[in-house]
Amino acid sequence: MKIGLDIMGGDYAPKAAVLGAIEACKTLSEGQKLVLIGDKDAAVSILQENNFSPDNFEFVHTTEVITMGEHPTKAIMQKPDSSIAVGFKMLKENSIQAFSSAGNTGAMLVGSMFSVKTIPGVIRPAMTTIVPKLKGGLGIILDVGANADCKPDVLLQFGVLGSLLAESVYGIPNPRIALMNIGEEEEKGNLLSQATYPLMRDTKLFNFVGNVEGRDLFEDNNDVIVCDGFTGNVILKLAESFYVITLKKRLKDEFFDRFNYEQYGGSPVLGVNAPVVVGHGISSPEAIKNMVLLSKNMIETNLIDKIKKAFQ
Amino acid sequence: MKIGLDIMGGDYAPKAAVLGAIEACKTLSEGQKLVLIGDKDAAVSILQENNFSPDNFEFVHTTEVITMGEHPTKAIMQKPDSSIAVGFKMLKENSIQAFSSAGNTGAMLVGSMFSVKTIPGVIRPAMTTIVPKLKGGLGIILDVGANADCKPDVLLQFGVLGSLLAESVYGIPNPRIALMNIGEEEEKGNLLSQATYPLMRDTKLFNFVGNVEGRDLFEDNNDVIVCDGFTGNVILKLAESFYVITLKKRLKDEFFDRFNYEQYGGSPVLGVNAPVVVGHGISSPEAIKNMVLLSKNMIETNLIDKIKKAFQ
């Protein structure tokens, strides 16, 4: 098994990425190899500074970097030797079995769709985020920004993707899928949620538990919350801002501790033909480590095959 | 000046409403009278228990109550002697100059539009909520649920309504109006926000400062955030849930204290021909008092005339 990591992605790259790779490497089993994609000289120098043998990794040297502000499609096209473009090329060729990066989210999405491509039957891939639950454990919300406008059948599919992720990767049995809405009753909502509700109510594809509201994000009445990417992105960034506020105010609480994105590693891109994880731009070594382990977990649990089967 | 208050609305009515009315009454000037609309016997009995003379108020006795779960339009039609229906009848006839209730939000919205009616030129009235800012002071977000689906010209108008509310009632000079979006750049967003941005950028109706994201809700880069009612309602309920979490965890902080809805009284319904305020269902006496004072403030600042003028 070869796990690809973009060491040029993220605000603290390549250092945070390489330090995270060291920590991830220590947890790998025999036959599992981490492939560092990016500036090899920089990586080797960081490894040597940290007395960690470069022999623990494979390296694929690249000469270009897609920065955070770049236009995703243009950047992928115009920088074929960027770590992200090369990573996706390798993923497509199965030289690596998963690819993760804390770099340009748009480029990671575009790269996924252009290279490994969307799984047949999936209308739109989605980005997910992990949410800590007040009573412990975690939940999933999707989409958090890949699709600003969604149709009801797209949201229905997000329910399938989220359910499989929750069950396979996070070990939640028979996950409870909820629809983000502005009221609990079936008839509540905007045109999108009103049209989606009956599709979800009548589906046998997952365990639909009805509408939830903004206040239910951290509650235990759901495992997976489905919404369009506009709503999900607003929720994600608002929730993050609360975490940042609790940090700045030095409010200590185990619930807030579990907000820490570092623990979760990143957001899986669901619905493409290989495991892809996008990390937070500010990813620390700990976050990078967990991003790598999440992508490994997506390989080991055969998530992609399960999704393919569900959409056959 | 006569200020109407529904004493049957809210989870703790009529007691919380009447106790709040007592507190509000103490702050009124000569010529300002609070009109209590609802079960007069119950109100008088609560006043007597609290040694407060019923002579301080006017009473309009009603025999019906619209409960929280009722269908708004049906309830207003089928319960003509409910406190909400009577309150709006009085508001329409100018027997009261403002009306507020912590009761059924939908019925308050429908009542506003059926009785005092939408101001000519306003496409859709909106509901607003107050947001505490981290650096102090407050901001406004609208719509928070009156219009689940919005068109770009409706959002543009929300900018006008929010700007006038911020300036007139909350004393914020030249309010900065922002569009809730999923990226700062002009081209970001869903179809709605992409179509709304150029309208706001080119308008001379208010001071547009561009896109904001979920993380900017409590930041000082805006005074008024405009969004559709679906997004706003999700934001409102998520933000409320954070406040509730900090309360449950007994996390003391002046910022969280300012989250307390009790201070703000309620949500003005903007774009109708009279001051209408809807309080939180769980309104305490303190919240009711501030709801009454907010509706009084809307009268005193001539907010409705200013809105009418803006839409002439």
Side-chain angles (χ1 to χ4, degrees), chain B residues 252-295:
Chain B
K252 279 284 165 204
D253 186 89
E254 69 78 33
F255 172 64
F256 296 131
D257 292 345
R258 287 190 288 118
F259 255 88
N260 189 343
Y261 74 94
E262 291 182 336
Q263 293 182 43
Y264 307 114
S267 298
V269 178
L270 293 184
V272 295
N273 281 300
V276 174
V277 182
V278 185
H280 203 299
I282 56 166
S283 282
S284 63
E286 173 76 8
I288 299 283
K289 172 190 133 188
N290 287 320
M291 178 171 75
V292 169
L293 297 183
L294 172 57
S295 69

Side-chain angles (χ1 to χ4, degrees), chain A residues 114-158:
Chain A
F114 279 16
S115 62
V116 292
K117 294 197 166 53
T118 303
I119 290 171
V122 173
I123 308 169
R124 296 282 305 170
M127 285 196 62
T128 58
T129 282
I130 294 302
V131 177
K133 293 294 187 180
L134 275 162
K135 68 159 268 185
L138 53 82
I140 290 165
I141 178 166
L142 78 165
D143 176 40
V144 293
N147 311 278
D149 291 285
C150 292
K151 296 234 160 70
D153 51 355
V154 169
L155 292 192
L156 182 71
Q157 290 197 344
F158 290 171

Side-chain angles (χ1 to χ4, degrees), chain A residues 40-102:
Chain A
K40 184 176 175 180
D41 294 342
V44 167
S45 142
I46 296 163
L47 290 169
Q48 284 168 343
E49 280 166 27
N50 289 275
N51 301 314
F52 200 78
S53 167
D55 296 342
N56 287 295
F57 302 99
E58 288 186 17
F59 295 89
V60 174
H61 183 67
T62 61
T63 57
E64 293 178 301
V65 177
I66 295 177
T67 56
M68 290 309 230
E70 279 186 85
H71 187 281
T73 318
K74 281 185 199 162
I76 289 267
M77 304 285 277
Q78 291 167 357
K79 292 185 172 171
D81 201 42
S82 62
S83 49
I84 289 181
V86 169
F88 277 115
K89 187 164 172 283
M90 294 177 68
L91 190 63
K92 186 185 176 184
E93 292 165 351
N94 201 31
S95 323
I96 51 178
Q97 282 75 55
F99 181 50
S100 59
S101 171

Side-chain angles (χ1 to χ4, degrees), chain B residues 16 49 82 88 99 149 158 171-172 186 203 207 239 257 268 295 303:
Chain B
E49 280 165 25
S82 62
F88 277 115
F99 181 49
D149 291 285
F158 290 171
I172 299 168
E186 177 163 350
T203 192
N207 172 22
D257 292 345
S295 69
L303 176 64

Side-chain angles (χ1 to χ4, degrees), chain A residues 171-191:
Chain A
I172 300 168
N174 196 27
R176 296 161 299 170
I177 314 300
L179 179 63
M180 179 55 73
N181 209 331
I182 59 171
E184 290 173 11
E185 303 85 352
E186 177 163 350
E187 71 279 7
K188 284 289 173 75
N190 57 9
L191 295 173

Side-chain angles (χ1 to χ4, degrees), chain B residues 89-157:
Chain B
K89 189 164 171 285
M90 294 177 68
L91 190 63
K92 185 185 176 184
E93 292 164 351
N94 201 31
S95 323
I96 52 179
Q97 283 74 55
F99 181 49
S100 59
S101 170
N104 185 311
T105 301
M108 287 297 287
L109 269 173
V110 170
S112 303
M113 290 189 271
F114 279 15
S115 64
V116 292
K117 295 196 165 54
T118 304
I119 289 171
V122 172
I123 308 169
R124 296 281 306 170
M127 284 195 64
T128 58
T129 282
I130 293 302
V131 177
K133 293 294 187 182
L134 274 162
K135 68 159 268 186
L138 53 82
I140 289 165
I141 178 167
L142 78 164
D143 176 40
V144 293
N147 311 278
D149 291 285
C150 291
K151 297 232 160 70
D153 51 355
V154 169
L155 292 192
L156 181 71
Q157 290 198 344

